[in-house]
C-alpha cells in the first residue's frame, strides 16, 4: 500500500488557511447573494421567502440536473425512471431544498420552545438509555432532510450537543450558522480542525457528538473509500466509523425527513457499532450506508447529495 507523506502540523495549518481563504474568495459572489437572502427572508412571509429561495435554487438545480439524473440512474433501476418521473423528482427536490433553507434562515430568530412545536422527536428513549451510562453518544446522521433541524431540536430539548461539520465557503452563510449554533448552545468543530479531540471531549462530558457519514469533503479525499450504495458506489469518509471503533460509546442514527405540512420528523434508532463484530471502519460504514439506501429509496427527493456527489457503478469501479 502506498503511504501518503504528511506535512508537519504547522505547514498543514498554513495550507488549510490558504485553502479556506481561496474558497472564501471564490464563493464571494454567492456570499453577497446569501447576505441579501438572509436580510430579506426574516422580513417577509413564509410563502414569499419560499418563492424567493425557490427561484435561486431552481437556477442552480437546472445547471446540475445532468449530474443529478446520472446519479439517480446509477443508484436505482434506470428503466423505472421515465422523463415524467424525473421531472416530478426535480420539482420535489428543489421544493425540499428551498423549504429547508427557509427553515434554517428562520432558526436564529425563534425560541427553543417555538422550535420544539415545529418538530417531532421519536426514539428519545434510546437516547436516554444511551446517556444513562455516562459515556456520551455518537450520533451519526446523513444528508436526508434537514440535518441542522435535528441537531437544533436535540439542543432545544435540553441535550448537550456537539458536532463536526464542513466549513462552508460562503462567508455570510457561515457567519449566520455560527450565530445560530451559539443561539442554541451547540458546540461545533470544523472538519480538519480537531474533530477527534472534540469527540473525545464530548464523550468525557457525556454529550451527544453528531457527525455525518455519507460524504467525503475535498480536504479528506485521500482518506475516502468507495463503498456499496445499492447497485452503486459512494465515496465516503470512514472517519465517523473510526470514531465509533476508537470510543466505546453507544451509537445512534438520526433519521430526518420533512413531512407534508412542512414540519420535520426526527427519529433516533440504534445503529451498527463495533461491539456487534464490525472489526474494520469500512465494514461499519457499509452497514450505515445500507440503512441510508433503504431510507433513501422511500424519499429520494430529500437527499442533498444528488447534485453534489458522483456515484459510480460497481461493475466499473473497484470497491
Amino acid at each position: 500500500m502506498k503511504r501518503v507523506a504528511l506535512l508537519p502540523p504547522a505547514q498543514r495549518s498554513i495550507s488549510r488557511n490558504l485553502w479556506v481563504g481561496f474558497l472564501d474568495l471564490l464563493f464571494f459572489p454567492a456570499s453577497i447573494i446569501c447576505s441579501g437572502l438572509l436580510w430579506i427572508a426574516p422580513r417577509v412571509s413564509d410563502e414569499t421567502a419560499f418563492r424567493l429561495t425557490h427561484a435561486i435554487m431552481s437556477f442552480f438545480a437546472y445547471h446540475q440536473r445532468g449530474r443529478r439524473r446520472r446519479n439517480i440512474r446509477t443508484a436505482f433501476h434506470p428503466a423505472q425512471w421515465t422523463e415524467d418521473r424525473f421531472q416530478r423528482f426535480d420539482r420535489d427536490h428543489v421544493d425540499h431544498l428551498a423549504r429547508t433553507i427557509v427553515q434554517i434562515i428562520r432558526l436564529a430568530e425563534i425560541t427553543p420552545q417555538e422550535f420544539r412545536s415545529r418538530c417531532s422527536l421519536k426514539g428519545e428513549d434510546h437516547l436516554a438509555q444511551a446517556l444513562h451510562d455516562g459515556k456520551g453518544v455518537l450520533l451519526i446522521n446523513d444528508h436526508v432532510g434537514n440535518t441542522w433541524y435535528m441537531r437544533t431540536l436535540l439542543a432545544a430539548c435540553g441535550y448537550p450537543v456537539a458536532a463536526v461539520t464542513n466549513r462552508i465557503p460562503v462567508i455570510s452563510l457561515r457567519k449566520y450558522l455560527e450565530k445560530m449554533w451559539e443561539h442554541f448552545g451547540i458546540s461545533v468543530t470544523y472538519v480538519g480542525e480537531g474533530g477527534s479531540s472534540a469527540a473525545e471531549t464530548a464523550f468525557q462530558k457525556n454529550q451527544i457528538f453528531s457527525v455525518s457519514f455519507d460524504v467525503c469533503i475535498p480536504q479528506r479525499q485521500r482518506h475516502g473509500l468507495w463503498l456499496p450504495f445499492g447497485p452503486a458506489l459512494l465515496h465516503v469518509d470512514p472517519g465517523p466509523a473510526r470514531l465509533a471503533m476508537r470510543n466505546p460509546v453507544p451509537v445512534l442514527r438520526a433519521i430526518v425527513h420533512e413531512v407534508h405540512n412542512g414540519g420535520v420528523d426526527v427519529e433516533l434508532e440504534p445503529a451498527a457499532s463495533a461491539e456487534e463484530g464490525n472489526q474494520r471502519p469500512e465494514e461499519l460504514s457499509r452497514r450505515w450506508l445500507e440503512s441510508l439506501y433503504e431510507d433513501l429509496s422511500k424519499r429520494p427527493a430529500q437527499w442533498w447529495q444528488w447534485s453534489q456527489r458522483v456515484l459510480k457503478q460497481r461493475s466499473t469501479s473497484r470497491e
Side-chain angles (χ1 to χ4, degrees):
M1 180 182 295
K2 182 179 178 181
R3 294 188 176 182
V4 179
L6 297 179
L7 292 172
Q11 293 186 30
R12 290 203 302 269
S13 178
I14 293 173
S15 177
R16 181 176 63 246
N17 291 338
L18 289 174
W19 174 249
V20 169
F22 170 74
L23 288 179
D24 285 350
L25 182 61
L26 182 65
F27 283 87
F28 187 71
S31 183
I32 295 176
I33 295 174
C34 190
S35 294
L37 184 61
L38 289 168
W39 186 86
I40 295 173
R43 292 168 170 79
V44 297
S45 66
D46 285 349
E47 181 62 25
T48 301
F50 170 75
R51 291 181 180 277
L52 177 61
T53 306
H54 192 278
I56 296 173
M57 296 309 300
S58 295
F59 171 80
F60 290 108
Y62 176 80
H63 293 282
Q64 296 169 329
R65 69 190 185 284
R67 172 183 290 184
R68 194 162 55 247
R69 293 190 175 197
R70 286 192 297 272
N71 282 336
I72 285 287
R73 292 190 178 98
T74 303
F76 301 117
H77 298 290
Q80 298 177 358
W81 284 79
T82 63
E83 180 61 27
D84 286 344
R85 187 174 182 184
F86 269 124
Q87 291 183 6
R88 288 197 304 272
F89 166 80
D90 282 339
R91 288 194 297 270
D92 291 344
H93 184 61
V94 175
D95 286 351
H96 170 69
L97 296 182
R99 279 192 297 269
T100 298
I101 291 174
V102 172
Q103 290 168 351
I104 293 175
I105 287 175
R106 295 189 182 281
L107 264 182
E109 308 298 329
I110 64 176
T111 66
Q113 293 74 20
E114 291 173 331
F115 177 70
R116 285 198 297 268
S117 68
R118 304 182 183 188
C119 309
S120 69
L121 177 60
K122 303 175 184 177
E124 195 171 0
D125 55 324
H126 295 304
L127 180 58
Q129 182 178 354
L131 291 172
H132 178 72
D133 294 334
K135 298 187 295 184
V137 175
L138 178 62
L139 183 63
I140 60 169
N141 56 266
D142 47 60
H143 287 79
V144 178
N146 190 335
T147 297
W148 279 110
Y149 245 47
M150 175 272 296
R151 293 167 174 167
T152 308
L153 174 60
L154 293 176
C157 289
Y159 293 103
V161 179
V164 63
T165 188
N166 185 30
R167 180 188 290 271
I168 296 176
V170 181
I171 300 174
S172 57
L173 179 57
R174 186 170 71 237
K175 294 298 183 183
Y176 168 80
L177 289 175
E178 290 172 352
K179 173 186 174 184
M180 185 266 291
W181 300 333
E182 183 179 2
H183 177 65
F184 283 93
I186 301 174
S187 175
V188 175
T189 301
Y190 288 120
V191 174
E193 299 183 12
S196 296
S197 297
E200 293 174 2
T201 300
F203 298 146
Q204 291 170 3
K205 295 180 178 180
N206 196 29
Q207 296 178 342
I208 300 167
F209 190 78
S210 175
V211 61
S212 299
F213 67 89
D214 62 336
V215 296
C216 187
I217 65 172
Q219 300 96 303
R220 298 274 302 173
Q221 288 296 310
R222 62 187 177 85
H223 300 284
L225 299 171
W226 286 100
L227 296 178
F229 190 64
L233 293 174
L234 178 64
H235 198 224
V236 300
D237 189 337
R242 291 197 176 98
L243 275 180
M245 301 190 73
R246 286 200 302 262
N247 299 276
V249 301
V251 182
L252 298 180
R253 178 173 171 237
I255 302 171
V256 186
H257 67 274
E258 182 186 36
V259 293
H260 67 280
N261 61 357
V264 175
D265 282 352
V266 176
E267 182 174 0
L268 307 178
E269 66 175 22
S273 65
E275 296 178 354
E276 299 176 358
N278 301 288
Q279 299 301 317
R280 297 184 301 167
E282 50 265 41
E283 292 177 0
L284 201 51
S285 295
R286 282 174 185 253
R287 295 280 302 279
W288 296 346
L289 287 177
E290 287 172 1
S291 299
L292 169 59
Y293 183 81
E294 182 179 349
D295 293 337
L296 193 60
S297 300
K298 305 171 187 176
R299 294 179 288 269
Q302 294 192 27
W303 196 41
W304 279 70
Q305 302 302 310
W306 288 122
S307 301
Q308 309 301 322
R309 306 290 167 225
V310 175
L311 302 183
K312 292 184 179 181
Q313 291 283 359
R314 289 204 209 185
S315 58
T316 59
S317 301
R318 186 174 62 187
E319 298 183 21

